[in-house]
Every structure is written in C-alpha cells, then in structure tokens.
Amino acid sequence: MGSRSPPYPIEGVRTSPYPVDGVRTSPYPIDGFLALGDWGGVPDPPFVTPREVATAAAMGRAAEELGADFVLALGDNFYYDGVRDEWDPRFQDTFERTFTAPGLRSLPWFVLAGNHDHNGNVSAQIAYGQRSPRWHFPHPYYSLRLSLPGTNSSARLLLLDTVLLCGGTDDFTSGPVNGPGPGPGPGAAPTASAQLRWLQRRLSAAAGDRFVLVAGHYPLWSAGEHGPSECLYRSLRPLLRRNRVTMYLSGHDHNLQFLWEGGVGYVVSGAGNFMEGSKRHGGDLPPGSLRFFYGAPSSPGGFVHVRLEPEAATVTYLEATGRILHREVLPPRGV
C-alpha cells in the first residue's frame, strides 16, 4: 500500500478528511457509529483470535443493518506490545485483513491508543494514517465535529490518550484502585496538563452541541478486573459533569458495561478480543450506577453501536452472534 497525501492538517500534526477543530466549517454528517475496544489480536500467527474474527464479521452485519458512518477504536489495537513502525505487518494481519466484511470496507476508523499500544510505537500508529485510507489517528488526542443529518443539530466527539493522562498499567496488575494510579510518572505531568487544557477548551467550544461524547482507553468507572481509575476520577470526572457530557466511552476491561453517574453515561466496550466475567470492583462503584454488565467467558465477543438523533442518543450492546444484549437511551444535553 503506497503513501497518500491527506487532505488537510488536524491539530497541526497530520491530515484527515474529517472536520476537526475548525479545519472545516461544516460538521461531518453522521447517523451512528460502532465502538470497539481491546481488539488487537495476538503477536504470534495467525495474529488474530477467534473472538476478533467473529466480532469483525458481526460488526460488518451491524453496520449494514443498523447503519454506521465510522468505527471508534478504543485502544489496545495491537497486543501485547503495539507495533514497531508504520510498516509493521501487524497492520495488515490484525487490522486490514481481518475487518473485511462488506459493511466495514468503506468505513473510516478513528483510533486512540491504549496501554498495550504504548508498549510499542504510538507514533507509528499515527503515521500509518498516511498509508491507509481507513485508519485515522491524527494526534494522541483530537476532536471530531459531527452533524445530525436533516437537522441543525451538531455533536462533538473528543478522543483522549488516557495513558498520557494517567500513566501505563499492565492488564491484571493492581494500582491504588486496581487501575491507572494517581497520575503519570515523573516528567509526564506537563503532557497530562496540556491534554487537560486542550480538553477544557474543546468542551467549552462544544457548549452549543446537542451531544458531546468523550472517549479514552481507561474507564473512569468499571466493575471489572481493573476497576475505576483514581486518576480519571480526579482529573476527568469534574470536566465531564461540569460540561454536561453525554457519555464517556472506554475499553481496558474485557467486557461490556453501562454505568450512569452524575448525569453522564459510561460505556465500556472492551470485548473485541478477550472476554472476562470478573466483577471484582463492583463494590467500588456508586450505588445503583451499574445498569448492565456482560462478560461471559464463553461469549464470542461484542461491541457497541451508537445512534445519534435529535431527541436521543441510543447505545446498543451487541454480541458477536448478532444478539442484542442491552440498550440505553440517553437524552440530549440540558434535557
């Protein structure tokens, strides 16, 4: 696959055909999208898992039946140590040759990094967008402006790098809350502060948007093996609540969850490659916040479909069998 010249720059790093932070005056029209986390195969042949293959096929069917304009990739894109460079064969083996269902072939992927990606070369994942028309990863954190077709309503999707915010963590390794700890390691604080300042500016700019969605790899709330993040609780939760964010989407825990706390919906979609049924941190959640949890070890995987309409944002959880597991309907901001 040859190199291509992207249409225009995003955040001053590289380019994308989608409107980010004032690059284009008219937002990109969207009906819905698919959200998938922790999907990144394995480092040995065949470089995929049966769950990833089954989930990829089911996503293709869902894109055709429910409608989808893009895929939101929620991190841990390549297990266990990311990629070496932009020519790493894992891009082909784990991504390009796996997500080949007709319903997915024309969809752009908007990508963010997880902790396993940071074990390798995240800059290479960003550079790969120059080589693939499907892969859009312009910057460690970036913003998409969206419009709801046939209306004057707009929405915004803000993608974060929670590893740069909170530091790295190995799966199944406990921190202070069995997840990302109090904050980044020495020397990383300026990077985290810059990202939070950027997020506050983007949230302020989104004051008139009907829906605002924020995405990152680490969950803020989770009943699963990793549990809630103390770092995100302190740094991100006040911003989500104060700016009336519609939902925060994440992965990291290898299951499907929906939580509601403080007027914000929390979507965990980390079932693209592994499935874990542990509710180890169920007792660490605000009472009544966990509305849905699915992590059956026998499951072939799962993902989320999000539909944005003027009157509601609908979150549908699907198993790779095609079975609808759960559905939540969230109101527009201020309603």
Side-chain angles (χ1 to χ4, degrees):
M1 189 184 314
S3 178
R4 65 191 181 99
S5 298
Y8 44 71
I10 298 174
E11 289 290 308
V13 178
R14 55 165 286 265
T15 58
S16 168
Y18 298 91
V20 177
D21 290 337
V23 173
R24 191 162 110 193
T25 57
S26 58
Y28 177 66
I30 172 183
D31 290 309
F33 63 90
L34 304 173
L36 174 73
D38 303 80
W39 54 274
V42 287
D44 302 307
F47 305 106
V48 294
T49 64
R51 279 196 182 92
E52 185 192 358
V53 172
T55 300
M59 288 171 62
R61 294 190 295 271
E64 293 181 323
E65 295 169 5
L66 299 177
D69 297 286
F70 62 84
V71 176
L72 173 61
L74 291 164
D76 282 0
N77 310 315
F78 301 98
Y79 284 104
Y80 292 98
D81 294 311
V83 295
R84 297 188 308 274
D85 54 43
E86 64 188 279
W87 299 277
D88 195 309
R90 290 294 305 280
F91 285 111
Q92 298 300 314
D93 294 329
T94 301
F95 173 59
E96 302 282 5
R97 296 192 187 110
T98 303
F99 294 90
T100 56
L104 296 179
R105 288 175 189 163
S106 63
L107 296 188
W109 285 55
F110 292 103
V111 182
L112 58 82
N115 52 299
H116 284 280
D117 301 307
H118 275 277
N119 288 344
N121 187 345
V122 173
S123 295
Q125 292 196 36
I126 292 173
Y128 184 69
Q130 303 281 352
R131 303 175 56 79
S132 171
R134 306 170 72 189
W135 187 270
H136 299 271
F137 192 176
H139 190 267
Y141 45 93
Y142 57 104
S143 166
L144 295 174
R145 296 174 56 241
L146 309 171
S147 68
L148 282 57
T151 75
N152 293 322
S153 300
S154 60
R156 193 173 296 254
L157 173 60
L158 305 170
L159 291 81
L160 305 180
D161 190 320
T162 55
V163 180
L164 294 181
L165 275 179
C166 296
T169 177
D170 292 330
D171 287 338
F172 315 115
T173 298
S174 298
V177 287
N178 197 38
T191 301
S193 297
Q195 185 174 180
L196 288 172
R197 288 194 302 271
W198 172 89
L199 177 60
Q200 180 59 77
R201 292 196 302 270
R202 298 281 68 77
L203 290 171
S204 297
D209 290 320
R210 197 160 183 83
F211 300 101
V212 175
L213 290 66
V214 178
H217 181 63
Y218 293 148
L220 197 159
W221 294 116
S222 171
E225 185 71 21
H226 297 98
S229 165
E230 178 185 347
C231 167
L232 294 181
Y233 180 87
R234 286 200 341 267
S235 63
L236 183 59
R237 180 174 174 266
L239 293 176
L240 301 182
R241 293 174 57 130
R242 184 165 64 244
N243 291 279
R244 298 176 295 115
V245 166
T246 308
M247 70 181 81
Y248 174 72
L249 301 101
S250 65
H252 199 47
D253 268 325
H254 300 156
N255 40 55
L256 301 169
Q257 303 179 51
F258 181 83
L259 306 97
W260 180 260
E261 188 270 330
V264 180
Y266 292 90
V267 175
V268 178
S269 179
N273 203 55
F274 307 108
M275 266 289 201
E276 298 160 6
S278 169
K279 286 188 179 180
R280 178 180 175 187
H281 286 273
D284 297 334
L285 303 175
S289 61
L290 182 63
R291 293 187 179 179
F292 168 71
F293 182 99
Y294 185 74
S298 60
S299 172
F303 56 98
V304 164
H305 177 271
V306 177
R307 177 174 297 282
L308 299 179
E309 298 171 296
E311 65 276 9
T314 303
V315 184
T316 303
Y317 293 79
L318 297 105
E319 193 174 43
T321 58
R323 179 167 62 115
I324 294 176
L325 299 169
H326 184 72
R327 183 168 278 152
E328 290 281 345
V329 178
L330 307 182
R333 301 166 75 207
V335 175

